Amino acid sequence: MPEIKQDFIDLIKKRSNENSKAIKALSDLNLTGICISILRQELDSFIRVMYLGRISDFNERERLMAQTLKGERWKVLTANNKWRPVTDRDMVEKSTEIKGYIQYVYKFGCAFIHLSDYHNYNDEDPFEKLDYTEEFDIKLYLNQYHGFPRETELTVNAIEEYIPKVFEKISTNITCYYGSILHDGMIEM
């Protein structure tokens, strides 16, 4: 069973390494929408690690990791003794207990993974669709962790240079939790 944990972490590392190369190259080409999609992929790895790290049944953790390695979708047993797929929402909710910014990156990134009006960001900035609280929280996060000027209007153009930094922060945070997964530790709030 220990090799399942290592193989799962190795899979995440491979994905992160490829995403890192891609985001650097695409950022240089100003392909912002695709960069945000890659950011969302990295966040997917992060929320999976966080979700696993909140499960105290270590056999269940390994079962879920094994499902990934077999190309299967994660499923959990319900109170009614039926298997139910684990949704992205389930994982985001569990991760949001720990890191509040996840929900914003996730929501924004999903709009760039799926065809949406957000792809029209050169003509109509998607940040205009955020409510005051969402905009405030995103600015606060970008300012605290990346030095984004709080007086700067939140637009796609204004955050372009910060996307690789946000990616790096998420990627670095993932690596901080590998030990908890590999050594049957818990990720606490």
Side-chain angles (χ1 to χ4, degrees):
M1 281 293 218
E3 68 229 22
I4 288 174
K5 293 185 280 190
Q6 187 61 58
D7 289 349
F8 181 81
I9 295 300
D10 289 346
L11 184 68
I12 291 173
K13 286 179 180 179
K14 288 175 187 172
R15 183 185 199 189
S16 289
N17 287 336
E18 188 171 311
N19 284 344
S20 179
K21 291 174 188 173
I23 205 158
K24 287 174 185 157
L26 295 168
S27 181
D28 289 344
L29 295 171
N30 295 319
L31 297 173
T32 307
I34 297 174
C35 287
I36 293 171
S37 296
I38 292 169
L39 189 66
R40 169 58 179 81
Q41 287 179 33
E42 193 70 4
L43 188 61
D44 178 71
S45 295
F46 180 81
I47 64 173
R48 287 176 187 280
V49 167
M50 298 303 285
Y51 183 84
L52 290 169
R54 305 278 292 142
I55 297 173
S56 59
D57 180 343
F58 303 126
N59 290 324
E60 175 65 2
R61 274 190 197 180
E62 286 192 28
R63 188 187 66 76
L64 292 171
M65 287 185 261
Q67 283 185 316
T68 296
L69 296 171
K70 292 177 192 171
E72 298 172 2
R73 187 168 181 196
W74 285 3
K75 292 184 180 171
V76 292
L77 201 56
T78 66
N80 297 336
N81 217 22
K82 295 186 185 219
W83 291 102
R84 173 186 71 78
V86 176
T87 65
D88 285 355
R89 178 180 211 91
D90 295 334
M91 290 184 283
V92 169
E93 285 176 3
K94 192 154 283 290
S95 299
T96 301
E97 294 172 4
I98 301 168
K99 305 278 187 192
Y101 69 88
I102 292 169
Q103 62 187 322
Y104 299 119
V105 176
Y106 180 83
K107 178 181 173 184
F108 203 71
C110 280
F112 282 93
I113 285 179
H114 307 293
L115 181 61
S116 73
D117 58 337
Y118 279 33
H119 288 93
N120 200 22
Y121 61 87
N122 286 320
D123 297 326
E124 185 180 347
D125 200 289
F127 283 111
E128 293 176 4
K129 298 175 184 188
L130 300 179
D131 65 34
Y132 175 79
T133 302
E134 290 172 322
E135 184 176 342
F136 178 85
D137 288 347
I138 292 170
K139 272 189 178 182
L140 181 67
Y141 165 77
L142 287 171
N143 176 264
Q144 283 179 329
Y145 293 101
H146 308 292
F148 182 82
R150 290 183 72 185
E151 64 279 355
T152 300
E153 182 181 356
L154 194 60
T155 65
V156 169
N157 288 336
I159 68 154
E160 278 178 331
E161 70 181 87
Y162 296 91
I163 293 171
K165 295 174 185 176
V166 172
F167 173 88
E168 186 61 32
K169 176 77 171 153
I170 292 168
S171 185
T172 300
N173 284 344
I174 293 170
T175 62
C176 290
Y177 297 113
Y178 288 160
S180 296
I181 301 301
L182 288 171
H183 305 294
D184 293 335
M186 293 294 294
I187 298 174
E188 302 295 333
M189 293 192 297

